[in-house]
Amino acid sequence: MTFTGRISFELPAEFGHRDVTPEVAALVEDSGVRSGLACVQLVGSTGAVTTIEYESGALADLRRAVEQLAPADGHYEHNERWHDGNGFSHVRSALLKTGISIPILDGELQLGTWQQVIAINMDNRDRRRELVVVVVGDGDG
Amino acid sequence: MTFTGRISFELPAEFGHRDVTPEVAALVEDSGVRSGLACVQLVGSTGAVTTIEYESGALADLRRAVEQLAPADGHYEHNERWHDGNGFSHVRSALLKTGISIPILDGELQLGTWQQVIAINMDNRDRRRELVVVVVGDGDG
Amino acid sequence: MTFTGRISFELPAEFGHRDVTPEVAALVEDSGVRSGLACVQLVGSTGAVTTIEYESGALADLRRAVEQLAPADGHYEHNERWHDGNGFSHVRSALLKTGISIPILDGELQLGTWQQVIAINMDNRDRRRELVVVVVGDGDG
């Protein structure tokens, strides 16, 4: 069986983030899937989805790491061509990627206690971001 | 339902890339899956698959970022042991990973307008690379 | 059809790694799935799963690269708040991510000859780590 859902929300520029675990878990519950997986995708080329312990320290540390990977004030050929100033956003998104898949057992997303699913807006402006979630697997029957 | 396909093509050394979105989308259409996901894998340990805006600026910027992650002219223990000179390729591939999964809704890959699926050859020589695609989900019925 | 399994093992601190390909392949065989995918997740926020040529040189090179991404002796706000010293572990895990999905064709994981699935313990202490594997797809019938 296959179940699909969408989640959308506003996120601030540059590293606006949201713990989407409750919303993804609610979709899993709605799906009725007990064994399977949830495939989560942030639509677009300037965002990312990953997992982390959702507390301000770890989030600040991750932000600093991605700033080093692709500094916001660096030189980007994308910016030379398009003058939209978000070359760093594209690089960060391509490196972190925009999706993950998470196994489901006994109807539960298989995450650690201190492991949350986060959506990150890497763009240089506030954005409404959309997550698409597909749940595939077997129900109780 | 499950549908599988293979795509292969030649790519230049070091950062040869290809926008494989049309080929993956064609496989999704052939599959008849309307709700589900496409799991895309570049077979081998010196390539990568991710998404990016497929324009020369962003591609050049990503290339520079992965060059910083693992410089082609750096020192690698892999090269010391095997003398094939592609230690940087293995590191870049392990960091970016060789696959992604993309949700399908209404028969369409859930990507942004400026978000394409790219295959990258990270090896230090031209390579014929193979993508395996599995489409899982439900059809119209 | 959907098949689930768990694998657990001890790994040393900081970059303890294990080639889990044989165990994942055994679960795929047990599942009876011939066409589909295996979704592999290391549960927790201080580990990672990726693929690499499983030989000591490439592993040492990858270790050095992730050490540069998030040095073990760096300053982390996570450590300031929680005093557990594993801020670098969380950053490394969020960047590499804790899971991958691999296509299955003809009952075989679609990996290259020199491409293995590895689980990495990024934490600052030895850990028993658990992998959850979900196999989704079609059997022979």
Side-chain angles (χ1 to χ4, degrees), chain A residues 2 4 6 37 39 41 43-45 69 75-78 81-82 90-91 94-95 97-98 101 132 134 136, chain B residues 35-37 49-51 53 55-56 60-61 64-65 69 96-97 99 103 105 110-112 114-115 137-138:
Chain A
T2 305
T4 62
R6 295 177 192 269
L37 63 92
C39 178
Q41 164 90 334
V43 177
S45 54
L69 286 173
H75 173 83
Y76 294 92
E77 295 194 24
H78 177 80
R81 291 194 66 195
W82 305 97
H90 288 285
V91 173
L95 292 174
K97 300 190 181 179
T98 57
S101 294
V132 175
V134 171
V136 176
Chain B
S35 297
L37 62 92
V49 174
T50 187
T51 64
E53 181 178 348
E55 62 87 16
S56 62
D61 296 333
R64 194 179 50 167
L69 286 173
L96 265 77
K97 300 191 181 179
L105 266 68
Q110 296 297 296
L111 298 165
W114 295 281
Q115 183 181 25
D138 291 344

Side-chain angles (χ1 to χ4, degrees), chain A residues 13-14 45-46 67 70-92 122-127, chain B residues 53 55 58 61 64:
Chain A
E14 288 218 9
S45 54
T46 57
E67 172 71 26
D73 61 358
H75 173 83
Y76 294 92
E77 295 194 24
H78 177 80
N79 296 347
E80 293 291 309
R81 291 194 66 195
W82 305 97
H83 307 290
D84 50 3
N86 67 355
F88 73 95
S89 316
H90 288 285
V91 173
R92 294 179 186 185
M122 304 286 200
D123 216 331
N124 64 345
R125 58 189 171 89
D126 299 352
R127 291 284 300 267
Chain B
E53 181 178 348
E55 62 87 16
D61 296 333
R64 194 179 50 167

Side-chain angles (χ1 to χ4, degrees), chain B residues 62-95:
Chain B
L62 178 61
R63 180 177 188 157
R64 194 179 50 167
V66 299
E67 173 71 25
Q68 288 175 347
L69 286 173
D73 62 357
H75 173 83
Y76 294 92
E77 294 194 25
H78 177 79
N79 296 347
E80 292 292 309
R81 291 194 66 195
W82 304 99
H83 308 290
D84 49 3
N86 68 355
F88 72 94
S89 316
H90 287 285
V91 173
R92 293 179 186 187
S93 176
L95 291 175

Side-chain angles (χ1 to χ4, degrees), chain B residues 1-136:
Chain B
M1 56 197 283
T2 304
F3 182 88
T4 62
R6 295 176 192 271
I7 305 163
S8 73
F9 39 80
E10 298 284 337
L11 285 180
E14 288 216 12
F15 198 81
H17 49 74
R18 181 185 182 92
D19 173 7
V20 296
T21 317
E23 290 151 314
V24 176
L27 286 171
V28 170
E29 188 170 353
D30 290 349
S31 76
V33 166
R34 302 291 298 172
S35 297
L37 62 92
C39 178
V40 180
Q41 163 90 334
L42 187 153
V43 177
S45 54
T46 56
V49 174
T50 187
T51 64
I52 196 168
E53 181 178 348
Y54 196 75
E55 62 87 16
S56 62
L59 290 162
D61 296 333
L62 178 61
R63 180 177 188 157
R64 194 179 50 167
V66 299
E67 173 71 25
Q68 288 175 347
L69 286 173
D73 62 357
H75 173 83
Y76 294 92
E77 294 194 25
H78 177 79
N79 296 347
E80 292 292 309
R81 291 194 66 195
W82 304 99
H83 308 290
D84 49 3
N86 68 355
F88 72 94
S89 316
H90 287 285
V91 173
R92 293 179 186 187
S93 176
L95 291 175
L96 265 77
K97 300 191 181 179
T98 58
I100 58 171
S101 294
I102 306 161
I104 299 164
L105 266 68
D106 300 322
E108 302 281 343
L109 289 167
Q110 296 297 296
L111 298 165
T113 307
W114 295 281
Q115 183 181 25
Q116 283 75 45
V117 183
I118 62 164
I120 309 170
N121 177 30
M122 304 286 200
D123 216 331
N124 63 346
R125 57 189 172 90
D126 299 351
R127 291 284 299 266
R128 172 158 286 274
R129 310 272 20 178
E130 185 176 51
L131 284 194
V132 176
V133 180
V134 171
V135 184
V136 176

